[in-house]
């Protein structure tokens, strides 16, 4: 694979500034509703706030890749005297928890940096985080060219992992007959 | 499809353990909006006036506001309504935090609780799965601890939990319902929850809340956020820091407490300490606050972060609400440090942060005066702070004298007798007020105090400055961008309001202007309590983000209702009048509408009579403060009028005359 120049979009997360409001979840879910803003449901957000105000744990986590199986072990981190589970930082849409999966279908969710046409100045969660816990940054990087899975392919992959090829093929066949 | 609302209520009969999901009438939102309005409608329809607050027939309603669960910033209120054990009138207390949005996402606008469970239980709402679960192992547990234990046993870290503590279980008349950084504290609804033997409600929801006109609605939301940002960068000048910004008072952020400590009375609402605030106090208190403050905290979808988590060495961590850090401090004539220390305990027990310190200070005053004896107070420590802790323990357990004090100052004084009534001097309608003792009667405040159905000034006031600014130039500056006024004339009222001379209190603003100002402020609160909007962004601060001119469009865009400004004002009036009717049916009359005798040093009986007369007329009420038949019919509340007539509260003849 060849190297290409790529604009890398990053969001800097300053957990010290987070006030736990979950506006990032609200706006992400609304923005991705179809039609846009037609509904709100933080359970569909591609960002989740891991929140435990008494332990002072506030970690906004972005939805990353779908994984078929959960990790074998669960490590713990102690930072500034606060104990975090490894999952508190993990971006995976993983069967061990209900985050980053569509609540009804269970299909994985992934942050797409609010891809839109025309493209946004800043992702929606950054715009709605008035506490400045989320800051948007762009930088150029040289990366390996890589085939990127589309949303549909991601969904399919998840279904395959869940039900196996055969069941899925049967299902598709049945639906085709009906349709 | 229903927009903004879910269209379903949960009916929980605790006596029979019955759970039902009931579809609601889609026409109700147009008439009563939601939240407080529809709560009141249910209470009118289903709880007759003879029903005692602590009885199986009383209802306890957790209602989400109409806009709650939509992305409208700050629309996160749960409106808890019932009948108050203390006032015997309708009680409604709002809480922010995260509960109501979660309830909406679970698919319900309200949880309506009736009956009484044979054993202590909690309610677990997980989308369509709703169950009552044994809570005997949670008996006596603190509010935050209960929430934690429930989340653990359900393995549901994202469940939102509203719980009562020991005070609620023991049916203290000022027990609160606590939910993370928020609580519904006033008027004893935690006691009603305890009477129903319901320890907590846990809710988790993952369903959509729909928006009728998405693009338009989002534009309004973005405008609101833009304005919030603007105000954060540009606090209002001309007023003390505590009044300069948006949000609930920023009690954990600001250290300048001159305004509270010198204007509010200390002890049992007795002593002004006008020279209390010094550089040294400011320095010490700043250190105390910064030392214990862990992090600023916001409610659901609101950037204002008015609360904070508190880590005071040696006591369990908790979240501070509003002004409680000073209510205990000042009642005990003590130091801020004490306020932070005792709040941890008070919140675990779940008690109201206004009434509790006042009741304790009241008891100590009775003791000083020899009315409460050594025998009744036997075992009490000698140190003032320790006495507060000691009495708090007695009250929440209803032990000894605590059993009497647990009913609040009014009922305690009645029971103690021996002249104790004189010491319960700071009540309206049997409910403890902010400890304010001022000089000259303010006509605006006179009406709000007298007639407010919430019986709590902070939930009636707002919008119009509390006092005139000294200089005309300042007033001119203030009115320049005052877009929130319903009409231009309000600017004029303020411009001409002077600290001294002809245009000063008590005879200015004029009676007519006073009625209009009070009506405006009250209207905004009724709208907030029906939409679930936080007063901190709307009815409470000066120049708020939401106001009478943008709310109708926002509500219409979210719900698809056809509401203009006039329609919205009418809905607010309907809700307000219905609440009045509910209380009138329970016996509320003009004689009850009096601020404490010592609230102002200078009183004006004639003026006060005129103010009440005119305000009642302005509202469409008769001289007893009872809505007339005509007023009720205009609002489509004919059935309310009929009921009041049948009960002889409104006489047919009188109605004919006025109708
Ligand atoms: S919007 Fe910002 S402050 Fe609010 S929860 Fe998200 S990251 Fe935290
Ligand atoms: S960048 Fe966009 S898609 Fe990603 S979490 Fe934020 S709002 Fe959601
Ligand atoms: S203004 Fe304050 S109290 Fe109101 S919703 Fe926002 S954070 Fe909560």
């Amino acid at each position: 694979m060849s190297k290409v120049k790529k604009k890398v979009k990053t969001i800097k997360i300053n957990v010290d500034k987070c006030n736990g409001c979950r506006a990032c979840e609200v706006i992400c879910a609304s923005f991705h509703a179809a039609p846009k803003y037609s509904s709100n449901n933080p359970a569909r957000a591609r960002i989740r706030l891991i929140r435990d105000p008494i332990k002072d744990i506030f970690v906004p986590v972005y939805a990353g890749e779908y994984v078929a199986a959960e990790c074998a072990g669960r490590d713990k981190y102690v930072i500034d005297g606060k104990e975090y589970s490894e999952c508190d930082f993990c971006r995976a849409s993983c069967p061990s928890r209900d985050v980053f999966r569509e609540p009804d279908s269970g299909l994985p969710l992934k942050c797409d940096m609010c891809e839109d046409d025309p493209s946004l100045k800043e992702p929606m969660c950054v715009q709605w985080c008035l506490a400045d816990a989320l800051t948007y940054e762009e930088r150029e990087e040289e990366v390996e060219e890589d085939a990127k899975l589309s949303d549909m392919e991601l969904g399919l992959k998840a279904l395959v992992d869940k039900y196996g090829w055969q069941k899925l093929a049967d299902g598709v066949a049945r639906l085709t007959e009906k349709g | 499809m229903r927009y903004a609302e879910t269209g379903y209520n949960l009916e929980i009969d605790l006596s029979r353990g019955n759970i039902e999901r009931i579809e609601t009438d889609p026409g109700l939102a147009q008439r009563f909006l939601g939240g407080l309005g529809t709560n009141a409608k249910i209470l009118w329809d289903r709880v007759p006036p003879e029903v005692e607050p602590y009885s199986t027939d009383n209802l306890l309603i957790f209602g989400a506001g109409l806009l709650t669960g939509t992305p409208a910033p700050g629309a996160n209120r749960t409106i808890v309504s019932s009948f108050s054990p203390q006032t015997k009138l309708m009680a409604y207390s709002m809480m922010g935090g995260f509960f109501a949005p979660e309830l909406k996402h679970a698919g319900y606008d309200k949880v309506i609780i009736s009956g009484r469970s044979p054993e202590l239980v909690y309610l677990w709402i997980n989308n369509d799965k709703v169950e009552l679960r044994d809570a005997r192992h949670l008996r006596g547990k603190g509010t935050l601890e209960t929430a934690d234990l429930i989340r653990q046993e359900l393995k549901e870290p994202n469940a939102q939990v509203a719980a009562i503590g020991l005070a609620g279980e023991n049916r203290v008349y000022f027990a609160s319902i606590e939910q993370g950084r928020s609580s519904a504290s006033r008027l004893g609804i935690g006691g009603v929850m305890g009477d129903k033997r319901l320890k907590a409600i846990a809710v988790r929801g993952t369903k959509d809340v729909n928006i009728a006109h998405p693009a338009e609605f989002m534009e309004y939301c973005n405008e609101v956020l833009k304005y919030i940002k603007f105000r954060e960068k540009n606090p209002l000048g001309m007023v003390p820091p505590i009044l300069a910004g948006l949000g609930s008072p920023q009690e954990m952020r600001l250290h300048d407490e001159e305004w509270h400590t010198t204007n509010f009375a200390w002890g049992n609402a007795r002593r002004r300490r006008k020279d209390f605030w010094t550089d040294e106090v400011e320095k010490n208190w700043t250190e105390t606050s910064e030392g214990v403050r862990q992090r600023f905290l916001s409610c659901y979808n609101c950037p204002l972060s008015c609360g904070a988590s508190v880590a005071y060495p040696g006591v369990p961590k908790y979240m501070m609400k509003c002004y409680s850090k000073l209510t205990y401090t000042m009642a005990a004539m003590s130091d801020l440090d004490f306020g932070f220390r005792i709040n941890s305990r008070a919140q675990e027990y779940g008690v109201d942060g206004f009434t509790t310190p006042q009741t304790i200070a009241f008891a100590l005053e009775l003791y000083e005066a020899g009315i409460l004896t050594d025998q009744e107070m036997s075992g009490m420590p000698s140190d003032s702070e320790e006495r507060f802790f000691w009495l708090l323990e007695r009250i929440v357990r209803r032990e000894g004298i605590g059993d009497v004090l647990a009913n609040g100052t009014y009922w305690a004084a009645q029971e103690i007798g021996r002249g104790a009534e004189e010491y319960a001097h700071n009540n309206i309608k049997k409910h403890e007020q902010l400890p304010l003792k001022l000089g000259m009667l303010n006509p605006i405040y006179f009406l709000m105090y007298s007639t407010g159905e919430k019986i709590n000034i902070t939930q009636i006031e707002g919008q119009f400055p509390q006092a005139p600014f000294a200089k005309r130039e300042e007033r001119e500056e203030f009115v320049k961008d005052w877009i929130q006024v319903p009409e231009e004339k309000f600017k004029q009222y303020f411009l001409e309001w002077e600290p001294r001379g002809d245009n000063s209190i008590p005879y200015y603003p004029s009676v007519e202007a006073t009625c209009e100002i009070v009506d405006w402020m009250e209207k905004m609160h009724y709208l907030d309590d029906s939409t679930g909007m936080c007063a901190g962004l709307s009815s409470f601060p000066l120049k708020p983000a939401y106001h009478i001119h943008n709310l109708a469009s926002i509500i219409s865009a979210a719900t698809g209702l056809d509401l203009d400004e006039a329609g919205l004002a009418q809905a607010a009036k309907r809700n307000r009048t219905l609440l009045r009717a509910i209380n009138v049916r329970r016996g509320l009359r003009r004689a009850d509408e009096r601020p404490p005798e010592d609230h102002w040093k200078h009183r004006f009986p004639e003026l006060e009579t005129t103010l009440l007369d005119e305000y009642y007329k302005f509202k469409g009420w008769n001289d007893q403060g009872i809505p007339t038949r005509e007023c009720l019919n205009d609002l489509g509340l004919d059935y309310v009028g009929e009921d009041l007539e049948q009960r002889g509260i409104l006489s047919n003849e009188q109605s004919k005359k006025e109708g």
Side-chain angles (χ1 to χ4, degrees), chain A residues 11 28 32 46-47 62 111-114 123-125:
Chain A
I11 291 171
C28 178
H32 287 87
R46 294 129 199 253
I47 179 170
Y62 284 84
C111 165
D112 61 3
M113 284 291 192
C114 295
M124 290 310 293
C125 54

Side-chain angles (χ1 to χ4, degrees), chain B residues 74 76-77 181 247-248 297-300 302-306 534 536-537:
Chain B
N76 51 43
R77 258 44 189 175
R181 59 136 289 167
S248 298
L297 295 177
S298 259
C299 303
Y300 180 85
C302 175
L304 268 299
S305 56
C306 318
C534 173
L537 288 173

Side-chain angles (χ1 to χ4, degrees), chain A residues 66-137:
Chain A
Y66 159 79
V67 297
E70 59 191 85
C71 306
R74 295 273 211 294
D75 299 334
K76 286 191 166 155
Y77 291 81
V78 176
I79 306 170
D80 280 344
K82 292 181 252 176
E83 189 180 288
Y84 296 83
S85 140
E86 191 174 9
C87 303
D88 292 348
F89 302 104
C90 177
R91 305 178 48 140
S93 170
C94 144
S96 80
R97 55 181 182 179
D98 70 356
V99 298
F100 305 148
R101 282 184 290 141
E102 288 281 3
D104 15 63
S105 64
L107 292 175
L109 290 162
K110 189 180 168 193
C111 165
D112 61 3
M113 284 291 192
C114 295
E115 253 172 38
D116 200 18
D117 191 19
S119 63
L120 302 179
K121 182 173 82 300
E122 281 182 334
M124 290 310 293
C125 54
V126 173
Q127 290 187 36
W128 272 50
C129 178
L130 266 50
D132 291 333
L134 310 175
T135 341
Y136 181 63
E137 284 167 2

